Amino acid sequence: MNAPSQTPEFYRFVGGEVAGQMTAASPTVRVESFVRRSGGLIDWRFRQPDFALFWFREGFHAFDIDVEGTKTRVKDPAHRGLGLFPGGAVTSGEFVSETICEYDVIFIDRAFVEGKASCVLDRELVGFDEPGIRHSLIELTSWKADASFGLMAEGWALQTLARLTVALGEVVDLLPARGGLSPSVLRRIDEFISSNLHATIGMKELAAIANVSVRHFARAFKQSTGRTPARFMFDKRLELAKRLLAESGQTITEIALVCGFSHAQHLSNSFRRSTGRTPSEFRQFRRG
C-alpha cells in the first residue's frame, strides 16, 4: 500500500517532532508507528483517501477531535485511545501530551474489504476501547519486520473489521465458517507457499487458489490447519531454515534470503524467539 498522500486535497500535519518512526506495508494494509516529542500540546490536521484506525498508545492526557464538524473530547486516552477516521474525512484535533508520546496509524484499502464489514469504512468513532483490537495491534506491530507481514496484516484487518462492526452496532456474521478447505485445495496452497517462501504473498492470491472470497478463505484456512496463513507461512520458512542449517553449507545470510528473511539478524531474532537458540547454536547442536 502506498504512502499516505500529501496534496492540497489530502494532507497530514502533526505538531511536535518525530523522534522515531517505523513503517510496514502490504498491498492493502499500511502500519505506521510513531514516537513524537512535543512541548505538551500537539495540533493535528488530517485528511487521507483511505480509512484509518488510530491507537493513541502512550503519553496522551486528553484530546479534542473534530471529524467533519462532529466534536469529541476524550479525557482518558489510556482507556479510550482508539479512533476510526473514514477516507476523505476532514479532521482536526488538539492533544495534551507528555514530552514523549507514541501512537500507531493503520490504513486499510477499501478494495480489500468485502461484504458487511465495508460499512465500517464510512463511520467515525473517536475515543473508544476494544481490548481485542488493542491486543491484536500489539501483535501486528511486532510483525512489522517479518517477511510474512503482508499475510499477517491482511488477516488482522479482516478480524479487526469484524470486531469494529460490533463496536459500531452493526450486524455481522462472526460464526466460524462451516467446513474447512478440501485436502486438494490445501495441498495446492501448501505447494504454492513452499515455492514462494522468499516472496511476498497476499491473502487474495491464496483465496484465488481456493476459489473463495478472502474473508471465507481466512476463516476456512484456520479451521482446516489451526493456524492463520501468516503463521503457516512463517512456520514453513522456519522449517526450511532448520533443514538448511542442518544439511547445507550455506551461510546464515544465504539461508535467511532463501527462506524469505530480510537479513541474517532478522532470521536470528525470529529463530531465537521460536526455538530458544540462534541459527549458529542450532547448526552446531544438530551437527554434534
Side-chain angles (χ1 to χ4, degrees), residues 15-270:
E17 174 188 356
V18 175
Q21 179 180 2
M22 188 171 182
T23 301
S26 78
T28 54
V29 180
R30 180 180 178 87
V31 179
E32 300 182 359
S33 298
F34 290 93
V35 178
R36 187 169 291 276
R37 182 182 294 109
S38 77
L41 195 64
I42 298 175
D43 291 322
W44 184 52
R45 295 195 299 275
F46 180 88
R47 187 176 190 238
Q48 289 293 303
D50 296 303
F51 166 87
L53 167 65
F54 277 72
W55 182 20
F56 302 104
R57 188 189 290 251
E58 289 185 23
F60 295 95
H61 296 301
F63 56 79
D64 293 276
I65 291 182
D66 183 315
V67 183
E68 297 283 355
T70 300
K71 299 179 180 181
T72 304
R73 170 166 290 182
V74 177
K75 297 181 180 180
D76 56 343
H79 299 98
R80 296 174 56 211
L82 295 171
L84 310 180
F85 302 94
V90 176
T91 306
S92 61
E94 186 176 80
F95 297 81
V96 179
S97 71
E98 298 179 7
T99 304
I100 296 292
C101 56
E102 301 180 20
Y103 60 98
D104 301 312
V105 190
I106 301 90
F107 296 96
I108 301 176
D109 185 358
R110 174 179 287 275
F112 179 68
V113 183
E114 302 171 326
K116 298 176 182 177
S118 62
C119 62
V120 172
L121 305 187
D122 298 317
R123 299 280 299 275
E124 75 270 356
L125 185 63
V126 179
F128 73 100
D129 183 51
E130 209 287 346
I133 292 178
R134 281 192 288 104
H135 295 154
S136 68
L137 276 169
I138 293 171
E139 182 179 12
L140 175 66
T141 53
S142 73
W143 279 64
K144 286 200 292 288
D146 195 278
S148 301
F149 171 80
L151 276 178
M152 172 66 180
E154 291 173 356
W156 172 88
L158 292 173
Q159 183 182 58
T160 297
L161 289 169
R163 285 182 170 133
L164 288 173
T165 58
V166 175
L168 290 166
E170 301 288 346
V171 177
V172 64
D173 176 18
L174 292 176
L175 296 175
R178 294 182 179 178
L181 300 172
S182 69
S184 61
V185 168
L186 285 173
R187 186 171 59 253
R188 291 201 302 273
I189 291 171
D190 191 345
E191 291 171 351
F192 180 80
I193 289 176
S194 297
S195 300
N196 291 278
L197 293 176
H198 61 287
T200 300
I201 298 175
M203 196 79 75
K204 287 185 177 180
E205 295 171 85
L206 299 180
I209 294 173
N211 196 30
V212 296
S213 71
V214 168
R215 182 165 170 261
H216 177 81
F217 172 79
R219 295 192 298 180
F221 185 89
K222 187 169 184 180
Q223 185 171 349
S224 298
T225 67
R227 290 176 284 180
T228 64
R231 175 56 63 179
F232 183 86
M233 185 174 183
F234 176 83
D235 290 344
K236 297 285 285 187
R237 289 163 52 220
L238 203 63
E239 290 170 11
L240 177 59
K242 288 178 179 179
R243 187 166 70 250
L244 293 176
L245 286 166
E247 301 173 3
S248 79
Q250 291 176 286
T251 67
I252 292 175
T253 296
E254 290 170 336
I255 291 173
L257 296 178
V258 167
C259 297
F261 295 93
S262 54
H263 46 72
Q265 189 60 48
H266 182 199
L267 169 60
S268 182
N269 292 342
S270 299

